[in-house]
Amino acid sequence: MGYTPAELLSKVTLGRESLFRVAPLGVNGAMPAAAAYKELCLASEVTVGFENQTISFANFCSGGTNIDIPFGETGTVDLSEMQWIADDEALVIMETAARDKEAIAYEFMPEGAGAGKVVYRGVMNVNSWKVKAAAAGLVTVENPTLTSPGKPEKATQV
């Protein structure tokens, strides 16, 4: 079963509508209120997801066959390069998180903001922060190295 061209056009989501926001975590690691989030202006792309983890083993009872046991997930967050602006609130949150080695919250809205649209929420660590200047170009923040425990929550916006 496929889609007609009209059905397909009504179902696809354009990446330019997407939003990615960050916020400091609340007291005792609580997720922040909606007003605390600041939009990150990415240059080209964002990836949010997770990978399932397994422990693999073989023994005599399994006849030497590998057996995989699921034991959790690792979140993945990858951000593109960003234009550096000294007083940009989202960049300040990111850099502060990297300097202080503290986790921050994120929200990714692939369809943009709006009631009933999908939102992925999670926590991430900013493990690298590099500001780069080119003689004939913009000052940018290189793709930061990020880690995210567990998988992101998937919900709908209210």
Side-chain angles (χ1 to χ4, degrees), residues 35-156:
Y37 285 90
K38 304 300 175 193
E39 186 177 340
L40 197 58
C41 295
L42 299 167
S44 61
E45 63 187 25
V46 57
T47 304
V48 171
F50 65 95
E51 297 174 4
N52 292 317
Q53 295 176 319
T54 59
I55 296 173
S56 203
F57 71 92
N59 62 24
F60 288 104
C61 292
S62 70
T65 303
N66 284 344
I67 297 175
D68 293 331
I69 299 175
F71 77 97
E73 305 87 15
T74 299
T76 58
V77 179
D78 297 305
L79 303 177
S80 69
E81 183 175 78
M82 300 159 266
Q83 280 75 42
W84 181 80
I85 300 169
D87 61 353
D88 181 273
E89 293 176 293
L91 292 179
V92 169
I93 291 168
M94 297 274 295
E95 183 173 1
T96 302
R99 288 182 183 281
D100 296 346
K101 297 178 183 80
E102 292 185 359
I104 58 175
Y106 71 85
E107 288 187 328
F108 174 49
M109 297 168 236
E111 302 170 296
K117 293 183 177 182
V118 172
V119 58
Y120 293 92
R121 293 185 181 102
V123 174
M124 68 182 187
N125 295 296
V126 183
N127 297 329
S128 71
W129 191 257
K130 299 175 188 176
V131 179
K132 177 176 74 173
L138 297 172
V139 176
T140 59
V141 174
E142 288 188 358
N143 313 53
T145 304
L146 307 169
T147 57
S148 181
K151 61 183 169 188
E153 169 198 2
K154 183 180 180 183
T156 53

Side-chain angles (χ1 to χ4, degrees), residues 7-43:
E7 288 172 328
L8 186 57
L9 285 174
S10 72
K11 292 183 178 291
V12 297
T13 302
L14 299 177
R16 67 178 181 221
E17 306 297 330
S18 300
L19 297 174
F20 189 88
R21 306 183 323 167
V22 295
L25 289 172
V27 178
N28 296 324
M31 292 302 279
Y37 285 90
K38 304 300 175 193
E39 186 177 340
L40 197 58
C41 295
L42 299 167

